[in-house]
Amino acid sequence: MNLRLLSIAFVVLVIISLSGCKLTQHEQSLFEEMGGHSTITKLTENFVDEISRNQEIFKYFARSDVVRFKQKFSEHICMLSGGPCKYTGDNMVDVHTGMNINEHDFNLGVELLINAMNRSDIPHTTQNKILATLVPHRQDIIYLE
Ligand code: HEM
């Protein structure tokens, strides 16, 4: 009997401690994992620098307002990574319509983003998660005449 009571008490204790864990555990967002606002600012600066050094991609940005792009791009990455930001830019289809970005240039853009993430010391596992948030937008960006 005592043994039975003891095992019930043990099971109850395990359940309480497990549910306690669940309550106190804080799930880290991708925004936190990448290092928050300061990493996003670094990433954005490096990305703009990568764009400015690549003629094939820079031609799309020749008439863009770089200050606006930096602000909207940062907000977009912040929002997609679960950070405390509201994206105030235009939607992806409206922004990229008329550019007729082909597969090659889209991939090149992603390559420049990867260079920028490397230069911002973002670990590869985190880079993959960031890229995964961008993948669903691919269809909103390419071949929009
Ligand atoms: C996953 C890929 C991409 C994402 C998430 C993305 C996101 C964005 C965002 C958030 C903006 C700012 C919008 C605003 O100003 O309201 C923007 C602007 C722009 N994007 Fe993209 N973009 C992507 C790929 C590309 C590629 C591959 C190109 C060109 C090859 C491109 C060309 C541009 C240009 C030229 C602008 C500035 C438009 C302007 O000045 O009005 N984007 N993009």
Side-chain angles (χ1 to χ4, degrees):
M1 184 64 183
N2 267 352
L3 196 66
R4 196 162 169 247
L5 269 179
L6 210 67
S7 42
I8 291 172
F10 177 72
V11 170
V12 169
L13 256 174
V14 168
I15 291 170
I16 289 172
S17 59
L18 283 180
S19 60
C21 272
K22 221 173 182 182
L23 282 177
T24 52
Q25 227 171 42
H26 169 71
E27 270 201 30
Q28 197 188 34
S29 66
L30 180 54
F31 172 80
E32 289 168 323
E33 179 181 325
M34 69 193 281
H37 290 296
S38 66
T39 305
I40 290 180
T41 303
K42 250 195 293 179
L43 171 61
T44 304
E45 290 296 332
N46 287 330
F47 186 42
V48 167
D49 185 58
E50 289 286 330
I51 291 170
S52 70
R53 289 161 188 269
N54 186 296
Q55 281 313 305
E56 272 182 275
I57 298 300
F58 182 72
K59 68 174 192 265
Y60 290 96
F61 288 85
R63 289 198 207 154
S64 295
D65 172 351
V66 70
V67 174
R68 178 192 160 99
F69 177 77
K70 283 181 183 174
Q71 191 204 347
K72 305 302 181 194
F73 180 80
S74 308
E75 283 176 7
H76 195 248
I77 292 283
C78 176
M79 175 198 67
L80 290 179
S81 63
C85 305
K86 188 176 177 333
Y87 175 60
T88 61
D90 298 325
N91 76 57
M92 290 297 99
V93 172
D94 289 348
V95 171
H96 299 96
T97 291
M99 294 186 198
N100 202 7
I101 298 168
N102 62 23
E103 196 109 19
H104 170 82
D105 285 354
F106 180 84
N107 291 341
L108 197 50
V110 172
E111 209 175 299
L112 297 184
L113 182 63
I114 293 171
N115 292 346
M117 291 196 286
N118 282 328
R119 288 174 58 188
S120 310
D121 299 317
I122 298 175
H124 287 124
T125 47
T126 311
Q127 291 191 18
N128 288 338
K129 292 180 194 172
I130 295 169
L131 291 173
T133 67
L134 300 175
V135 166
H137 292 290
R138 190 173 177 279
Q139 290 313 315
D140 300 337
I141 289 164
I142 64 171
Y143 298 123
L144 301 175
E145 291 181 33

